[in-house]
Amino acid sequence: MKRIWQTLTSGMSKFIIVRLLQIILVLYLYMTLVFIILEAQPGDITDIYTANPKITPEAKEAIVKQLGLNKPIYERYLNYLRNFVTGHLGCSFKWGNIRDVPDPVCREQRPTWDLIRERLPRTIVLFLTYTIVSFYIGFFLGKLIAWRRGAIIEYFSTVVGVVLFTVFTPWFALLLVWLFAVNLGVVPIGGFINPDSWTNIRQIGSVDCSIGISCSNIVFNHMLLWLGGLTLFWGIVYLWSRRFPYPWQRNTARWGAVALGLVLAGLFFGGGWLGEIDRVVLARDTKFEFFVWHFEFPAGTIPLFPLALDFVQHMVLPILTLTLISFAGTMLLMRNTMLETMREDYVMAAKAKGLPDHVVRDKHAARNALLPVVTSLIFAIAFSVDGGVFTETIFSWPGMGQLLLLSALEQDYPVAIGSLVFTGIFALVAHVIADILYAFLDPRIRYD
Amino acid sequence: MAPLTTYPVLQVENLTMHYTTRKGAVKAVEDVSFSLDKGEALGLVGESGCGKTSVALTLLRLLPENAQFLGGHVYFFRDGSDEAHARRAVGKPVKILLDGQEHQGRLVEVDRSQLVLDARLNGRTQQIKLGRDDIARLGVDLTALSDEEMRPIRWKGISMIFQAAMNSLNPVYKVGDQIIEAMQTHMPIPIPEARERVAQLFQLVGLDRQLMDRYPHEYSGGMKQRAVIAMALACDPDIIIADEPTTALDVIVQDKILREMRQIQKKLNMSMIYISHDIAVIAEVADKVGVMYAGGLVEFGPSEAIFKSPIHPYTKALMSAFPSIKGEKVKLAALPGEPPDLIKPPSGCRFHPRCPYATEICEREVPKFIEHKPKQYAACWNPLM
């Protein structure tokens, strides 16, 4: 017992625990703020019926009463907090139930949590992918242009990067849609699946998909789990391989883990075992489009990959847009810090040790230059939450940003509050992860 | 092959290097020549900015991008039987030590038993073939190597202890791992063995072996200095260049570390180049001394001879500007004037504006670097004899 307490209170764990407690406090303040701000807005749900003569003032009052909007504000605030703690985020004013069985609490209304559970993974996947891609491109280019200072690539990427960084985001996004989706027709215009193909699906795994599109999340969650699982697996192999006696053994283990992960994922999505979880049953012959290619699948059992690819092709354009717009920030920051670390004595020492050029650059200079850039990554994650409203609207990506916009426009309080709170939780968790990451990247930082 | 009692590991000839700046070329190294024998410690001494570090960086080819290498040769010697060394030398200018004689030429071809050389003999160029076993030393011109060919020489051939050793350890890696990295770059050695070797090196420089799994920020200044020395020793190099190895340390630690370095150098029979502005440090460790002034070598010779009777006025001035703890009390004589601007150095002898012995010729002509006393070279028109 004493030992457990010691581990909990020592260094890193203590830091994480303290940080989590702080987060709970921040979250409480944030939730209160969100509630107050939404309450302070003029009007309520009945405003959307203003232009509808069939809804009489009496009917409006009945709606207000039914939704509990006539209760005093403190009572509603306490209700809201109590609901949140018990894990119930209220019922949507707008969205109707789509399940066969009515919800025990919300009946014909749709529970907010149900909406969020459906949409949060979509936002996380889109923005996590974009953050990683854009961060890596920025990091890579920044490192390169600092290392080969004065080369053509420096002028080119700096000018292009800065222009894209300052351009008006929605305009640029629409321009790319016009170019790649409308004119060239290589990617879908928007949305996150191609409904024509999905309506023919009768079953995914063991779940009956008679309602069609609602099944998309099964595939989506599979992809998410695989991504997370493989990353975790690779991380473990990486740490484990550090103890290997020879460098080539380390590299073999790391690349081997990548290959193994890809093979396993390929087997799963390619129909390697077509079991209880990765089988898709088509009701009739279906055409799947993937960029410019078309696949025709006969009715019957098919693997998951056409559905997974359908997601991927819908993600390409949003990710491309977001990356182009934002990579320059990381790139310029990386360039500056890299130029600074390149002057350090340990970089010269690494060169003198006879290490190959790319090892000096990556392992010694870039590794140290990375530290301040990780800080900017935290801001990038925070940005992805508000940027989501823009991007998801333009690309009709049915994620949290779009949900937030729709519910705010339609005075759907529970959903607006719920999605705001969840984006807040998302940002806070990202901050903690970044803090922990930082402690691992820089051994000089000890949070005790 | 007669065993040699002393043989060269490095010969530097007429090294010249300038830095390009907006104001003009900084003539940082001008016509510097010296040689270093096996097991010998050479001290390069001079004021800050006189080009000592630039010489060291030129040897290792670690110069910044604005540096312009303008000429000279750096011959790095190894045994004629060293396969990798001989292969590397193919097509390059080489120097060969054969029966106590030095031959210069270009290596054309090399195989298991012999070496084909284009060399000037008796006034005309001819191709000669030499048995590998006859060759005592084979020196390859490092300035002719490509970067990739230079890489194996770094650390394995010539390693370096950098100025401000505190900063030459990467803060994000464990000290032991940084030393192992250097070893694994140059030899296929598994980690357990490499760790054992690091432990031995740590013992040699007086560090606890537990420290190899610590990060640099957990070290004190003196400990870092020792770790850096251990790192320089890691690949068992032929030459170690120690650039101001102890400047950042306090006098007591400085003295202790210098003594230990001297001991290690004797024990492993290693060749070393010490670089310092502190003539007291050089006096303590060096067998031979090279005195530099404004980018050029002004005096070179055995340290005893130079400290007893310097030939060049600058050497004398430098010596009397430093206090000695031992010996009688003398008034310190500060050298008047400033070190010259290396963009527009003074004409003739670069030291003449500050030289008390300067005559009219000093202003006009550059003095030749010649042997004034046995083995004691100097570039001066009015040598102090």
Side-chain angles (χ1 to χ4, degrees):
Chain A
M1 192 63 208
K2 203 182 162 197
R3 241 182 108 179
I4 297 171
W5 178 246
Q6 268 176 355
T7 336
L8 281 180
T9 50
S10 71
M12 196 67 185
S13 346
K14 192 178 169 189
F15 162 74
I16 294 172
I17 291 169
V18 170
R19 203 77 179 77
L20 286 177
L21 289 176
Q22 281 173 350
I23 273 195
I24 291 171
L25 184 69
V26 172
L27 189 64
Y28 166 73
L29 293 173
Y30 175 73
M31 283 171 62
T32 310
L33 204 66
V34 164
F35 184 82
I36 293 169
I37 287 174
L38 284 179
E39 277 299 326
Q41 312 240 25
D44 60 34
I45 181 81
T46 57
D47 289 356
I48 51 174
Y49 304 119
T50 309
N52 190 341
K54 282 185 189 157
I55 311 272
T56 59
E58 290 75 37
K60 281 187 190 169
E61 212 155 295
I63 292 174
V64 166
K65 206 170 170 191
Q66 190 202 345
L67 295 175
L69 291 173
N70 57 344
K71 287 180 185 155
I73 184 165
Y74 67 88
E75 205 180 318
R76 279 187 286 137
Y77 175 65
L78 288 177
N79 244 333
Y80 157 69
L81 284 185
R82 187 166 46 232
N83 279 346
F84 185 81
V85 173
T86 54
H88 197 278
L89 295 174
C91 312
S92 167
F93 293 172
K94 272 293 291 179
W95 300 73
N97 186 33
I98 55 159
R99 312 233 170 245
D100 299 339
V101 201
D103 188 81
V105 183
C106 296
R107 293 169 203 285
E108 290 312 310
Q109 289 162 269
R110 196 165 178 195
T112 302
W113 170 237
D114 199 40
L115 277 166
I116 289 173
R117 194 178 58 184
E118 183 183 280
R119 284 162 174 260
L120 192 63
R122 299 174 190 160
T123 296
I124 290 179
V125 165
L126 186 68
F127 284 97
L128 212 56
T129 318
Y130 136 71
T131 308
I132 292 168
V133 169
S134 139
F135 180 77
Y136 189 75
I137 290 178
F139 164 75
F140 183 82
L141 281 176
K143 165 178 101 179
L144 212 66
I145 63 181
W147 195 251
R148 303 177 49 196
R149 232 191 140 181
I152 295 286
I153 185 173
E154 181 176 12
Y155 299 107
F156 182 75
S157 51
T158 310
V159 169
V160 170
V162 170
V163 166
L164 293 178
F165 196 65
T166 46
V167 85
F168 182 54
T169 310
W171 174 81
F172 184 67
L174 288 172
L175 192 76
L176 288 186
V177 170
W178 172 80
L179 179 67
F180 288 106
V182 180
N183 272 11
L184 298 175
V186 288
V187 286
I189 286 183
F192 86 126
I193 52 170
N194 192 358
D196 289 348
S197 317
W198 285 72
T199 42
N200 294 337
I201 295 166
R202 190 184 294 151
Q203 203 183 333
I204 294 181
S206 51
V207 182
D208 182 29
C209 300
S210 35
I211 319 171
I213 292 175
S214 72
C215 253
S216 61
N217 265 36
I218 299 171
V219 185
F220 212 71
N221 293 343
H222 276 321
M223 290 168 72
L224 206 59
L225 278 175
W226 271 95
L227 263 179
L230 288 182
T231 313
L232 195 70
F233 169 65
W234 193 82
I236 290 167
V237 169
Y238 180 87
L239 291 178
W240 168 66
S241 66
R242 284 217 294 213
R243 281 276 146 240
F244 286 8
Y246 287 103
W248 66 265
Q249 290 171 324
R250 268 169 265 164
N251 292 335
T252 315
R254 286 164 196 178
W255 286 108
V258 172
L260 181 68
L262 288 179
V263 167
L264 284 179
L267 272 177
F268 183 82
F269 287 97
W273 49 81
L274 285 182
E276 272 298 290
I277 49 169
D278 69 332
R279 164 184 57 175
V280 177
V281 180
L282 289 179
R284 58 185 79 85
D285 294 0
T286 311
K287 204 161 76 175
F288 281 94
E289 285 174 27
F290 180 57
F291 295 122
V292 288
W293 299 286
H294 299 257
F295 304 96
E296 186 86 32
F297 284 95
T301 305
I302 62 161
L304 271 172
F305 80 90
L307 306 183
L309 288 183
D310 198 27
F311 283 127
V312 172
Q313 67 171 342
H314 281 86
M315 277 167 65
V316 169
L317 198 55
I319 288 177
L320 178 76
T321 313
L322 286 169
T323 303
L324 283 178
I325 285 167
S326 65
F327 81 95
T330 313
M331 181 184 79
L332 294 177
L333 186 64
M334 182 65 197
R335 174 180 166 274
N336 282 358
T337 56
M338 182 83 175
L339 284 175
E340 229 158 84
T341 45
M342 273 162 61
R343 275 197 289 270
E344 296 282 351
D345 290 337
Y346 52 76
V347 174
M348 170 84 92
K351 246 186 247 175
K353 279 200 271 186
L355 304 179
D357 210 39
H358 68 96
V359 175
V360 179
R361 184 191 65 197
D362 297 347
K363 200 178 160 192
H364 290 274
R367 176 65 175 71
N368 277 280
L370 185 65
L371 300 173
V373 184
V374 169
T375 317
S376 83
L377 179 68
I378 304 171
F379 292 113
I381 291 170
F383 162 81
S384 73
V385 175
D386 61 32
V389 176
F390 266 130
T391 328
E392 290 187 358
T393 308
I394 288 169
F395 293 102
S396 330
W397 185 265
M400 294 294 285
Q402 203 194 45
L403 185 67
L404 178 63
L405 183 70
L406 287 176
S407 52
L409 286 177
E410 296 176 342
Q411 310 262 9
D412 192 349
Y413 291 159
V415 178
I417 290 175
S419 47
L420 268 177
V421 166
F422 263 84
T423 43
I425 290 177
F426 185 46
L428 286 173
V429 169
H431 272 70
V432 176
I433 290 173
D435 274 346
I436 295 168
L437 198 67
Y438 213 99
F440 275 108
L441 283 176
D442 191 346
R444 284 166 294 185
I445 292 179
R446 284 288 172 264
Y447 300 100
D448 49 26
Chain B
M1 186 183 88
L4 295 168
T5 44
T6 165
Y7 46 87
V9 287
L10 193 75
Q11 281 185 10
V12 177
E13 289 175 359
N14 313 100
L15 208 61
T16 302
M17 191 274 297
H18 293 174
Y19 291 110
T20 321
T21 64
R22 259 177 231 160
K23 288 184 205 154
V26 177
K27 303 176 178 70
V29 179
E30 281 278 316
D31 206 18
V32 167
S33 309
F34 60 84
S35 73
L36 181 67
D37 284 353
K38 175 78 182 161
E40 200 177 49
L42 166 73
L44 282 182
V45 67
E47 287 164 296
S48 302
C50 71
K52 308 179 297 277
T53 302
S54 296
V55 168
L57 295 182
T58 317
L59 299 186
L60 266 170
R61 302 255 310 268
L62 286 174
L63 291 166
E65 271 177 24
N66 65 340
Q68 261 191 310
F69 178 75
L70 293 174
H73 302 279
V74 176
Y75 290 101
F76 172 66
F77 289 85
R78 278 254 177 101
D79 266 6
S81 56
D82 188 325
E83 192 63 36
H85 189 63
R87 296 256 167 243
R88 184 158 51 221
V90 174
K92 309 280 170 353
V94 290
K95 258 191 180 181
I96 278 173
L97 227 64
L98 187 68
D99 304 329
Q101 287 254 309
E102 220 178 66
H103 300 279
Q104 214 166 335
R106 183 173 284 272
L107 190 62
V108 180
E109 216 182 294
V110 62
D111 65 32
R112 213 171 283 276
S113 61
Q114 66 177 14
L115 202 132
V116 183
L117 192 72
D118 273 337
R120 276 185 86 77
L121 285 178
N122 310 322
R124 64 193 184 92
T125 306
Q126 62 184 79
Q127 202 162 69
I128 50 171
K129 288 183 181 163
L130 298 169
R132 289 281 290 275
D133 296 335
D134 302 330
I135 300 158
R137 304 291 284 173
L138 172 66
V140 57
D141 188 357
L142 296 186
T143 61
L145 298 189
S146 71
D147 275 348
E148 203 42 42
E149 286 168 326
M150 188 64 204
R151 230 160 44 70
I153 305 255
R154 293 188 181 142
W155 226 253
K156 185 93 187 76
I158 308 173
S159 74
M160 191 158 173
I161 299 165
F162 283 94
Q163 202 166 0
M166 329 261 120
N167 305 329
S168 53
L169 292 168
N170 192 328
V172 301
Y173 297 114
K174 289 172 185 162
V175 175
D177 290 348
Q178 296 187 44
I179 300 175
I180 291 170
E181 182 190 32
M183 286 189 216
Q184 287 197 328
T185 309
H186 295 286
M187 33 200 177
I189 178 172
I191 281 185
E193 259 174 61
R195 285 179 65 83
E196 200 39 55
R197 178 152 169 78
V198 174
Q200 285 167 8
L201 290 171
F202 269 31
Q203 199 182 11
L204 190 67
V205 298
L207 284 174
D208 193 284
R209 67 179 292 159
Q210 314 291 333
L211 286 167
M212 66 195 218
D213 288 321
R214 298 281 185 82
Y215 289 95
H217 70 273
E218 295 171 283
Y219 280 54
S220 71
M223 281 152 80
K224 273 187 209 169
Q225 188 63 56
R226 287 163 197 266
V228 167
I229 294 168
M231 185 148 84
L233 290 166
C235 296
D236 212 356
D238 301 292
I239 304 164
I240 295 182
I241 301 173
D243 185 4
E244 305 273 10
T246 54
T247 306
L249 303 174
D250 65 70
V251 188
I252 294 168
V253 182
Q254 185 173 344
D255 193 57
K256 199 156 177 269
I257 285 183
L258 280 177
R259 263 171 222 281
E260 282 167 17
M261 278 172 82
R262 182 75 170 151
Q263 273 169 14
I264 292 167
Q265 187 235 334
K266 288 279 172 222
K267 196 167 145 194
L268 305 178
N269 193 28
M270 216 155 19
S271 312
M272 285 202 76
I273 300 176
Y274 286 94
I275 293 174
S276 181
H277 64 274
D278 187 344
I279 205 159
V281 166
I282 297 297
E284 190 160 348
V285 292
D287 304 313
K288 267 190 201 166
V289 176
V291 181
M292 286 191 72
Y293 182 77
L297 204 57
V298 293
E299 185 161 358
F300 182 76
S303 61
E304 275 169 43
I306 285 186
F307 286 117
K308 216 159 96 195
S309 57
I311 293 175
H312 201 283
Y314 177 66
T315 314
K316 196 184 172 208
L318 200 63
M319 275 160 53
S320 50
F322 272 92
S324 164
I325 299 175
K326 299 159 200 158
E328 65 213 76
K329 190 175 161 187
V330 268
K331 196 166 183 297
L332 291 182
L335 191 58
E338 295 280 313
D341 178 9
L342 290 181
I343 293 175
K344 273 188 211 145
S347 60
C349 171
R350 286 183 178 184
F351 187 55
H352 84 259
R354 297 168 81 184
C355 183
Y357 308 94
T359 49
E360 184 254 346
I361 188 169
C362 300
E363 205 172 322
R364 256 188 308 118
E365 270 175 68
V366 181
K368 290 209 170 52
F369 195 64
I370 47 168
E371 198 167 1
H372 287 278
K373 288 182 195 169
K375 292 194 169 177
Q376 203 173 346
Y377 299 79
C380 186
W381 290 117
N382 304 307
L384 309 167
M385 298 301 272

